[in-house]
Amino acid sequence: MSTIVVGLYKETGSAKKAFQALIAAGCQETDIETFDGADSADKAARSLLGHGFEKELAEQYGAALRQGHTLVAADIADQDADAAEAILDENGTIDLPEAPAVHKPAQKARNGGTVEQETLQSVKEEVEIGKRRVSKGGVKLTSEVTETPVQDTVTLRDETVDVEHRKVDRPLSPDEEKAAFGEKTVELTATSETPEITKEARVVEEVVLSKTASEREKTVEASARRTDVKVEPVGGKSGNKR
């Protein structure tokens, strides 16, 4: 599952930095859209509607683009949404600006002159209670290599070959006489032991990070303001006759 994370920026440069930061964090460039200026306002609103945004909220973002702001929208996997939102915030996201008040133009009199008018607006505030993701921290695992000296004593064996010449004066035995004048080679090899170190890596513990999700209900209270226009006559005095 994925989540659309959006960030609104006052300056194009900040939006570009946010875009590059998302790419550096591993996001795919094809999953990130940037809407810049009034020409892209309608396209941005349609895109947000297609991703499940409320119509009013999507139109508010479109209005912000018409005012010169830049919007970055990223399609992020649910488990990475918090980190992506933090990246957008770090690069200077701003709140949606208030929509400008709309005034009716002055009307023309029948004789072509302009009628002077004053306007008061009846305003009703619509309250929409939704939800958004906020980062509340987590846990990071880092592997660290340490070395522990190991010492042991082993017994090593060294061999040597010694040569001894013995003086002998005796007659040859029949067996010795047969082999006495034949060529013969006798070889004796000495050995020496040296220390040998062998290592075997074994897994002694596993540390696992896992994330669980739970749902809770919370009652949120807000107040919706309303401005009503009260109409009442204003008394006047007639001029004195002469």
Side-chain angles (χ1 to χ4, degrees):
M1 298 293 289
S2 62
T3 301
I4 298 299
V5 181
V6 298
L8 187 65
Y9 298 91
K10 188 175 181 180
E11 298 178 355
T12 304
S14 299
K16 289 182 179 179
K17 290 180 180 179
F19 180 90
Q20 294 168 357
L22 289 173
I23 296 297
C27 298
Q28 298 296 321
E29 187 172 349
T30 53
D31 294 333
I32 308 173
E33 290 184 281
T34 301
F35 304 96
D36 184 12
D39 293 340
S40 62
D42 292 338
K43 180 181 178 182
R46 289 194 300 269
S47 178
L48 295 178
L49 282 172
H51 286 103
F53 277 61
E54 295 291 338
K55 181 178 179 181
E56 182 179 355
L57 184 58
E59 291 177 349
Q60 287 178 356
Y61 277 110
L65 293 177
R66 293 187 184 93
Q67 296 177 32
H69 300 308
T70 301
L71 180 68
V72 176
D75 191 355
I76 304 296
D78 286 346
Q79 63 270 21
D80 299 325
D82 291 340
E85 188 173 21
I87 290 174
L88 294 178
D89 290 341
E90 289 169 1
N91 286 275
T93 56
I94 62 173
D95 294 331
L96 276 170
E98 295 183 358
V102 178
H103 297 277
K104 294 183 179 180
Q107 297 178 350
K108 296 288 184 177
R110 293 181 180 178
N111 59 2
T114 300
V115 176
E116 181 181 356
Q117 68 175 30
E118 297 291 340
T119 303
L120 289 179
Q121 294 177 323
S122 296
V123 181
K124 181 181 179 181
E125 195 173 51
E126 299 288 342
V127 176
E128 179 180 350
I129 298 178
K131 60 181 181 179
R132 71 181 184 94
R133 291 177 174 268
V134 294
S135 176
K136 61 177 184 179
V139 177
K140 178 173 70 173
L141 297 182
T142 303
S143 62
E144 184 181 32
V145 178
T146 58
E147 295 186 0
T148 303
V150 178
Q151 184 177 351
D152 197 3
T153 301
V154 296
T155 302
L156 303 177
R157 177 180 176 182
D158 292 322
E159 297 179 343
T160 59
V161 178
D162 298 324
V163 179
E164 180 184 358
H165 295 272
R166 297 177 181 175
K167 289 186 179 182
V168 180
D169 185 9
R170 64 177 177 80
L172 292 172
S173 66
D175 292 335
E176 291 175 331
E177 188 176 356
K178 292 179 182 180
F181 298 101
E183 292 184 358
K184 185 177 181 180
T185 301
V186 177
E187 183 178 314
L188 189 61
T189 301
T191 62
S192 179
E193 294 178 339
T194 60
E196 181 180 11
I197 299 175
T198 58
K199 295 182 180 181
E200 180 185 17
R202 300 180 63 84
V203 179
V204 296
E205 184 183 23
E206 291 181 340
V207 181
V208 181
L209 282 183
S210 61
K211 183 168 70 171
T212 59
S214 60
E215 293 185 351
R216 56 190 173 90
E217 292 185 354
K218 182 176 181 179
T219 302
V220 180
E221 296 182 357
S223 59
R225 295 173 296 178
R226 176 169 179 158
T227 301
D228 294 315
V229 177
K230 183 178 180 180
V231 180
E232 58 184 17
V234 178
K237 296 181 179 180
S238 60
N240 295 326
K241 294 183 181 181
R242 294 184 179 180

